[in-house]
Amino acid sequence: MNIACIQIPRFAVEAERLRRRNLGARLLLIGDSTVLDCSLGAGVMRVRRGMRMSEAIGLCPNAIVIPADQPYYERLFEQIADFLAGFSPDVEYAAPGLAYIGLDGLPTPIKRLAEDLIAGLHRRFGFMPAVGIAAGKFCARVAATAARPGAVKIVPAGQEAAFLAPLPVEHLPASDAMRWRLTMLGIGTIGDFARLPVGAAQAQFGPEGNLCWHLAQGIDNEPLERWLKEETIVRRLQMPAPASALEAIMIGVEKLVQAGYAGVRNGRWVRKAIVRAGLDGGGSWELPVAFREAISDPRDAWFAIKNAIARHPPERPVEELEVELTGLSSESGKQAAMFDSRGKLWRQVEEAVRQLGVQDEAQDRAPIGKIIPIEPWSRIPERRAALADLQLDK
């Protein structure tokens, strides 16, 4: 299966640059206690993802530090994944900035489709992705990493191992412990690792060694996990001024809940609501509220949402509010009582017990019994309770 990997390098950084035009080409560090992403210039100064933020600031003191806004990055890339679904029905949303699409059966030639995809993403969203194409997801991702932004790298079928061989083992999905041991063994490239016998790789590194060995050989049968876009209803409200009073925020959210339910058609029910807010000074706040059962009445939904907001209010003044209703269904999700004394199920149980009794009459024993307490205080387990015949009302 031909697979294209669409990778937007430094996605969080580029998303912040698009949202905050005044950043220009400034050095950026994104994260809280650790670095989630950094600009290219900060990377040149040896800043790496996962590094402690204090250490990163020491290496790059002139950089602007921006708190990570993960909900914003995820929502933005969901829009991109939805755009990719217009090129192929087989789309996998792997992570913000990373997606795969299946290319088999598409009428457009592979290279032209990839070029159209790059141009469309740049024109509509402002991003410049790199695209890698290969017969498997791993090789396609490595090819996208090797390609420069705006370019396409195609690995012909049967040449996966040759393409991967000179690349460093850091591309393999190995744990830090495995990578450290590979360094100690002098194995620096994927080709070096591929030359090991598979038995030795598995004996040394266990299941992940076996997986990495097959990937190094260009063998990758992992299927695409197709992304299914859930039907949602979204309503937004721009506050006239940053609101810090919880009462004002509650009024805005209540209006959005009412407006959202007005868009729920044909008596459908809602299973989950997500309340979001754009905060004064940048960043966002998000609060998911999962209902115990699907709700069709906006008043019931608002009661649950209001209590959740009261427990976890926004930490800064709010500039914009958004409510998303998800999990739309045509049923309430309420579970019927299983044993209604006069219901159909109980009558079926009674009939089954009677039939078992008829079958076992010749053996002079009751087929079904019930436990009754005898001496529950006794230290001997056999004396605490006894099994008696189950008597049904005639």
Side-chain angles (χ1 to χ4, degrees), residues 148-332:
R148 68 181 186 278
V152 182
K153 176 66 177 177
I154 301 177
V155 181
Q159 298 185 24
E160 294 85 1
F163 165 73
L164 295 169
L167 300 177
V169 291
E170 281 73 17
H171 287 289
L172 293 172
S175 63
D176 291 340
M178 178 175 170
R179 291 178 181 176
W180 179 82
R181 293 186 63 195
L182 288 174
T183 301
M184 294 297 99
L185 293 171
I187 299 174
T189 67
I190 295 178
D192 294 337
F193 186 74
R195 283 189 285 273
L196 294 175
V198 62
Q202 185 165 354
Q204 284 289 325
F205 305 107
E208 68 172 337
N210 182 63
L211 170 64
C212 290
W213 186 88
H214 282 86
L215 293 178
Q217 303 290 334
I219 303 171
D220 181 11
N221 298 318
E222 183 182 359
L224 287 178
E225 297 181 8
R226 192 170 184 179
W227 178 65
L228 299 176
K229 183 181 179 182
E230 188 175 25
E231 184 181 356
T232 62
I233 294 176
V234 179
R235 295 293 183 267
R236 298 183 179 89
L237 174 64
Q238 187 70 39
M239 306 296 282
S244 57
L246 185 58
E247 183 179 357
I249 296 172
M250 290 286 199
I251 292 173
V253 176
E254 184 177 12
K255 289 182 178 179
L256 292 176
V257 172
Q258 295 286 346
Y261 265 87
V264 179
R265 298 183 298 275
N266 301 326
R268 306 190 76 183
W269 302 63
V270 178
R271 297 183 180 276
K272 182 179 179 181
I274 304 173
V275 184
R276 303 187 181 97
L279 303 179
D280 186 25
S284 64
W285 166 84
E286 180 174 295
L287 179 64
V289 183
F291 304 137
R292 291 186 177 180
E293 58 187 34
I295 296 176
S296 64
D297 191 330
R299 292 171 297 182
D300 296 336
W302 167 237
F303 179 78
I305 294 170
K306 177 176 63 175
N307 290 335
I309 295 176
R311 292 192 300 269
H312 305 285
E315 61 272 15
R316 299 205 307 273
V318 170
E319 293 183 335
E320 184 181 18
L321 286 170
E322 176 183 292
V323 170
E324 178 181 348
L325 304 179
T326 66
L328 305 185
S329 67
S330 57
E331 299 179 357
S332 67

